[in-house]
Amino acid sequence: MSDAESESRTNATEYTVSEISGALKRTVEDVFGHVRVRGEISGYRGPHSSGHAYFTLKDDRARLDAVVWKGTMSRLKFRPEEGMEVIATGKLTTYPGKSNYQIVIDNLEPAGAGALMALLEERKRRLQAEGLFDAGRKRRLPFMPCTIGVVTSPTGSVIRDIIHRIKDRFPLHVLVWPVRVQGETAGAEVTAAVNGFNALARDGAIAQPDLLIVARGGGSLEDLWGFNDEGLARAVAASRIPVISAVGHETDWTLIDLVADMRAPTPTGAAEIAVPVKADLEATLASFGARLKAAVLRNFERKRQASRAAARALPSPDQLLALPRRRLDEATSRLGRALSVSIERKRTKLQGQRLTPATLSRRINEARTLTGRDLARAQAAFFGIVRERRTRFSRTAKRLSPAPIARRQKLQADALAALTRRQDHAVSRRLDRLRGQLTQADRLLATLSHKAVLARGFALVKDAEGAVIKLAADVEPGASLQIEFADGTTNAVATGGTGQPEAVAKPAAAPLSAKPTSPKPASKPTEPGNQGSLF
């Protein structure tokens, strides 16, 4: 028995480890070359530094290693996430280095819309709990932005619709940040675009826009999944620039619609929300200007009427001056008598006084004493004032220096130079504007001038006084006419009148510069009552 066992052992085929691993690999790949596996993603940490992704698919009883190569990752319509239930399509293979098997995934899709909706609802509840959907934190959109930033694909019809609508309503500057709007990297690219617009400086080479529009056309839940990215929602909530979300159609919704400051039903609707209609604004301003002018005129008229009414209520100048004039006449009549009485009183008083040299000397001495005392007081006061002024002058002289005056003079000179530059710039701009208006008026005059009509073969008929003749009924036989062509004017005499089927205008004595022309046959009458022609 031991000999039989020994013989069976020697007859068994020997394999190396590599041969066994290779045989198993070929067998597994031949049998399971294309499979679809449903399971929950576990252990997903994002793409490796090489670009490949490694994770595990599991259910309640087993686990299966999975790998997504770098090229396949770039083609996935959505980003895999931990705990997501998916359906993986690929082939099974083995990894000899660890003696295990795995699935190499070629395509990955959610296990029905229910799984994505559950994940979306969970994100929605979490962001809502943080207050990112509150209406109080949303900002008002600028009424008339100067620059609008648009985050969308540069090759789709969305950007053309937005630019066309803005151009029709209110032409202004539009900055486009090109991004992918579908696929695994869509959310990250849109997030980078929103953050990039916010990082621009107000006075930089590329000015920061006043309003952002994040736009994309309609699609399925998987197509719009990039706009449900949590990082994108947080970037829009933290944006200092107001954001309009225009993702999908009216029935579509994403997380960015709930976080944005305004949601538009379509990208074209976003452009309509972003800018007003320029023609309506101009009409409103014109209406306000007309109303203001009418109100000012009415106010002036009311003031004028009130002034006239007040003037009628005031007394005339004669009535105002009657009483003062009477008082003046009475004072004039009393003045002569009062002057005579006053002179008589002064004469009587002067005659009653006795003037002697002693009295005069005494009064002179008293006046000299008073004058000397006042002079001494005046001199003392004068010297005191001089000392005080000298002291104040010395203190002020110590504080004064030419530096503040020079500095103030320099500031005034700089201000004067700045005003001069502004004046030159304003004059130049006004001259340019008036020059453009003059050019436009000249073009309009050339367009509306009858000279252009004459150049196309028409003629202008006038009577002897130079008045324009519009109807054939106004022409009498034998009337002198002036016919103006594009290159000059010639005289003619009408030989026919109203109601004649044919009439020929014989040229009168034409000026030397006009070339005589042979009369042409009259055209066939076109309307009753206006038959006949002057040519």
Side-chain angles (χ1 to χ4, degrees):
M1 184 176 181
S2 61
D3 294 335
E5 291 176 355
S6 176
E7 185 178 355
S8 64
R9 284 196 299 267
T10 57
N11 291 333
T13 304
E14 292 183 356
Y15 296 97
T16 63
V17 176
S18 299
E19 290 174 345
I20 287 292
S21 298
L24 289 174
K25 181 179 179 66
R26 287 191 297 273
T27 302
V28 171
E29 291 180 352
D30 291 342
V31 177
F32 301 99
H34 182 78
V35 294
R36 287 171 58 86
V37 181
R38 184 187 187 110
E40 179 183 337
I41 296 177
S42 176
Y44 181 77
R45 298 295 181 268
H48 194 264
S49 59
S50 61
H52 313 312
Y54 303 94
F55 53 90
T56 301
L57 295 176
K58 69 175 183 178
D59 56 15
D60 56 345
R61 290 178 296 178
R63 301 169 64 90
L64 174 63
D65 291 340
V67 59
V68 182
W69 303 126
K70 178 180 179 180
T72 305
M73 282 290 293
S74 62
R75 296 195 304 270
L76 293 181
K77 295 182 179 180
F78 70 99
R79 182 187 297 273
E81 294 187 11
E82 181 72 18
M84 180 183 295
E85 187 176 4
V86 296
I87 298 176
T89 303
K91 64 179 180 179
L92 288 182
T93 184
T94 62
Y95 181 55
K98 290 187 178 180
S99 298
N100 59 358
Y101 63 96
Q102 61 186 6
I103 180 173
V104 178
I105 297 175
D106 296 329
N107 186 26
L108 196 65
E109 58 188 24
L116 287 180
M117 288 302 298
L119 180 61
L120 182 59
E121 289 296 334
E122 191 275 331
R123 288 182 182 174
K124 179 180 176 182
R125 286 193 298 271
R126 186 168 64 252
L127 295 178
Q128 187 173 12
E130 296 180 13
L132 298 185
F133 301 161
D134 294 344
R137 56 157 294 276
K138 296 187 178 182
R139 290 144 300 186
R140 295 182 60 183
L141 304 182
F143 176 72
M144 192 180 298
C146 297
T147 305
I148 296 179
V150 181
V151 181
T152 188
S153 173
T155 59
S157 62
V158 171
I159 185 61
R160 293 194 297 271
D161 293 341
I162 292 176
I163 294 177
H164 178 70
R165 179 61 66 183
I166 292 176
K167 183 178 180 180
D168 288 344
R169 292 173 64 87
F170 200 112
L172 48 79
H173 190 51
V174 177
L175 296 177
V176 180
W177 195 299
V179 296
R180 292 191 181 99
V181 294
Q182 185 173 336
E184 180 187 3
T185 61
E189 292 187 14
V190 177
T191 302
V194 173
N195 294 332
F197 273 129
N198 278 271
L200 294 176
R202 285 287 183 182
D203 54 352
I206 301 178
Q208 186 183 84
D210 303 313
L211 182 65
L212 293 183
I213 298 177
V214 180
R216 186 205 188 279
S220 62
L221 179 63
E222 291 81 3
D223 296 336
L224 303 179
W225 188 252
F227 295 91
N228 292 317
D229 186 75
E230 184 175 347
L232 174 58
R234 296 185 183 279
V236 171
S239 173
R240 298 188 305 273
I241 308 172
V243 179
I244 298 178
S245 173
V247 179
H249 299 303
E250 177 69 29
T251 57
D252 301 327
W253 70 273
T254 58
L255 288 180
I256 191 176
D257 295 331
L258 303 176
V259 179
D261 300 293
M262 178 69 70
R263 178 182 183 265
T266 60
T268 304
E272 295 176 353
I273 294 173
V275 294
V277 181
K278 185 178 181 180
D280 293 346
L281 295 179
E282 291 175 347
T284 302
L285 289 176
S287 175
F288 286 162
R291 290 173 59 187
L292 178 61
K293 184 177 180 180
V296 170
L297 293 177
R298 287 196 300 270
N299 187 37
F300 283 164
E301 186 62 27
R302 284 197 300 268
K303 298 294 185 182
R304 186 180 294 110
Q305 293 177 0
S307 177
R308 290 174 180 173
R312 288 194 296 270
L314 291 175
S316 64
D318 292 338
Q319 294 175 347
L320 291 174
L321 297 176
L323 183 59
R325 186 182 293 115
R326 181 175 179 180
R327 291 176 180 174
L328 178 61
D329 293 341
E330 292 177 354
T332 302
S333 62
R334 293 195 304 267
L335 180 62
R337 295 192 301 270
L339 183 60
S340 300
V341 172
S342 178
I343 291 174
E344 188 62 30
R345 288 177 181 175
K346 295 294 185 182
R347 182 182 291 111
T348 302
K349 184 178 179 180
L350 181 62
Q351 290 176 355
Q353 293 180 356
R354 295 180 178 180
L355 296 177
T356 61
T359 304
L360 184 59
S361 298
R362 185 174 62 254
R363 289 187 177 182
I364 292 174
N365 292 332
E366 291 176 356
R368 185 179 290 111
T369 302
L370 293 175
T371 303
R373 185 177 58 190
D374 292 340
L375 179 61
R377 293 173 60 185
Q379 289 179 349
F382 173 74
F383 290 125
I385 293 173
V386 169
R387 286 193 300 272
E388 181 184 357
R389 295 296 175 84
R390 184 179 288 109
T391 303
R392 290 172 56 188
F393 178 76
S394 300
R395 289 199 302 266
T396 305
K398 293 179 181 179
R399 293 197 304 268
L400 290 178
S401 64
I405 299 176
R407 183 167 57 254
R408 185 174 181 181
Q409 182 181 5
K410 184 178 182 304
L411 292 177
Q412 296 294 335
D414 295 341
L416 179 60
L419 290 176
T420 303
R421 290 193 298 270
R422 290 178 58 189
Q423 177 186 0
D424 295 341
H425 182 64
V427 170
S428 177
R429 289 182 58 188
R430 179 165 181 81
L431 289 177
D432 293 340
R433 184 166 62 253
L434 293 177
R435 189 178 294 109
Q437 293 177 359
L438 180 60
T439 303
Q440 184 178 3
D442 184 62
R443 291 199 205 98
L444 182 61
L445 179 61
T447 303
L448 299 179
S449 175
H450 69 284
K451 299 294 184 179
V453 181
L454 297 179
R456 294 200 299 270
F458 293 90
L460 184 63
V461 181
K462 302 179 182 178
D463 58 13
E465 287 76 16
V468 178
I469 299 177
K470 301 181 180 178
L471 301 175
D474 297 337
V475 181
E476 298 294 336
S480 297
L481 304 177
Q482 296 180 8
I483 304 176
E484 181 179 352
F485 297 94
D487 58 346
T489 303
T490 183
N491 296 328
V493 176
T495 59
T498 305
Q500 296 182 2
E502 294 184 357
V504 178
K506 296 182 179 180
L512 296 178
S513 60
K515 294 181 179 180
T517 56
S518 60
K520 298 180 180 179
S523 60
K524 187 177 182 179
T526 56
E527 294 183 3
N530 290 329
Q531 298 177 354
S533 172
L534 296 177
F535 310 106

